[in-house]
Amino acid sequence: MVETKAAEMTNPFRIVQGQLKSAVDNLQLGDDVYEFLKEPMRVVEVAIPVHRDDGRLTTFIGYRAQHTDAIGPTKGGIRFHPDVTVDEVKGLSMWMTFKTAVMGLPYGGAKGGVVCNPSELSARELEELSRGYVRRLAAVLGPELDIPAPDVNTNPRVMGWMLDEYDRVRGQNTPGFITGKPLVLGGSAGREEATGRGVVYSILEAMKRLGIEPGRSTAAVQGFGNVGSHTAEFLHETGVKVVAVEDVRGGAYNPEGLDVPALLRFAHETGTVHGFPGSKDITTADLFALDVDVLVPAALENQITAAVAKKVKARIIAEAANGPTTPEGDDILHQRGIFTIPDILCNAGGVTVSYFEWVQNTQGFYWTAREVNTRLQDLMVTAFEHVFDMKEAKGVTMREAAYVIAVHRVAEACEARGWLRLPTDNAVPAPALHIIGKKR
Ligand code: NAD
């Protein structure tokens, strides 16, 4: 993990409030819009007792933040991590609102987290924790209310336990309660790899704009979990040479390019990329300073600080993780002309296929992997085009452009519901809005 200067802003909740404020100012929407959207509408804290295998009882703290349901039911993943805080969950719930809005999905944002170290829990303890989280929060979750999904350290297996617990509480089958669940329980083809696939679609769009040929380019990826490993896999498939990857246990670097299919097998067998035969170790600082075309932070927040940003040599940063760049780091990347694909656009493939999963559950009619991937590509490319066009039209960064589109859409929904009055003399032309991929 990269050291962060104490003075640097790293609180996700404060960061997203700043991003919201600049978009509101940019759109001249007035103070009320900021005041209304600056806090999640609901934040719940729960205590979850778990009987340990050694006979003890441990109580874990969990959170669920629901930012706004102006556009539709709230949606967002659940992470299990020792560093989870209420501010992290609140900030992530707001990022989900703006992510679904920039993609034109009919959702608001939410996020959940449990303060725990899952590597210290047995499978049985993890199951009890997952079920306990849902039991405590069942009253505020549901397919028309708030729909969870996987995030850091949670996966289809955890989603399966959570679905079963929700079904027990409700006394009925409710497959649309959660997404990212196993296929056999109504999961969608393509969901597991969707975030990584979407990251690569957005990288390819950026490459087109910058005149970079995928087959002659190189990339480095930090994080080799769900998002990082699939991103590396699809980059490799499109001909991009992946030269370095890293997970929490160490790195693997080969300037000639890593054999990604073999690396995936190695990581699956050993649980880490560290020690991959034929590769050298690499530190986080060295990975971020590599002379590659594309750098993909796909682990946690606040990795690209001001100090790191000064050393980046990549031409494109693809924010596969949520909030991987601090505001100070972001300013430096911008000054240095590095093209950043912002998280709310770059990693939106996951929630997009989660939306497809929910649609399939609602209809009880399931799509092929090819249908899912084609629709995903269509939505990712359309959203990228809208953000890029807005960036060009307004002379702002990709991140600012994404927030302008997203905040405008959320504000419009709030006005349509009669929650807010927007200024009628708004001098800023409305951005091109789209609903699930269709320009209107
Ligand atoms: P994951 O738990 O599957 O993987 C996380 C990876 O990061 C692991 O390889 C872990 O070893 C590595 N990591 C953790 N701490 C690290 C450190 N200090 N240094 C280097 N590597 C470290 O999680 P994920 O689902 O892949 O999520 C990764 C990021 O992507 C998070 O920011 C998450 O919010 C975001 N995201 C996930 C999804 C999704 O569908 N899973 C969707 C959108 C965004």
Side-chain angles (χ1 to χ4, degrees), residues 60-114:
F60 293 92
I61 296 299
Y63 304 102
R64 186 75 181 167
Q66 298 166 341
H67 177 231
T68 176
D69 58 358
I71 291 179
T74 53
K75 179 99 192 71
I78 299 169
R79 69 171 52 173
F80 287 175
H81 197 278
D83 298 338
V84 163
T85 64
V86 68
D87 270 9
E88 181 187 54
V89 174
K90 282 161 74 172
L92 286 161
S93 76
M94 291 174 68
W95 275 327
M96 284 305 296
T97 293
F98 301 125
K99 190 182 302 184
T100 52
V102 84
M103 292 304 294
L105 305 179
Y107 291 136
K111 203 75 177 193
V114 178

Side-chain angles (χ1 to χ4, degrees), residues 1-2 79 81 92 96 99 111 150-154 191-192 194-196 222-229 246-250 271 284 297-301 303 320-324 343 347-351 354:
M1 178 80 72
V2 176
R79 69 171 52 173
H81 197 278
L92 286 161
M96 284 305 296
K99 190 182 302 184
K111 203 75 177 193
D151 194 71
V152 175
N153 290 327
T154 58
R191 171 59 184 92
E192 188 144 8
T195 308
Q222 185 208 27
F224 208 72
N226 173 292
V227 181
S229 66
E246 190 206 23
D247 63 29
V248 73
R249 286 163 63 184
T284 306
L300 292 169
E301 294 100 60
Q303 297 300 294
N322 286 307
D343 48 6
N347 69 35
V351 71
S354 274

Side-chain angles (χ1 to χ4, degrees), residues 225-239:
N226 173 292
V227 181
S229 66
H230 288 300
T231 299
E233 181 185 356
F234 298 125
L235 281 173
H236 180 79
E237 277 178 17
T238 56

Side-chain angles (χ1 to χ4, degrees), residues 124 236 338 413 425:
R124 194 205 56 77
H236 180 79
I338 295 164
D425 60 343

Side-chain angles (χ1 to χ4, degrees), residues 210-212 292-295 312-317 337-340:
L210 299 178
I212 299 173
V292 286
D293 295 288
V294 187
L295 190 59
V312 166
K313 295 195 189 73
R315 293 178 66 191
I316 298 172
I317 305 259
I338 295 164
F339 188 97
T340 302

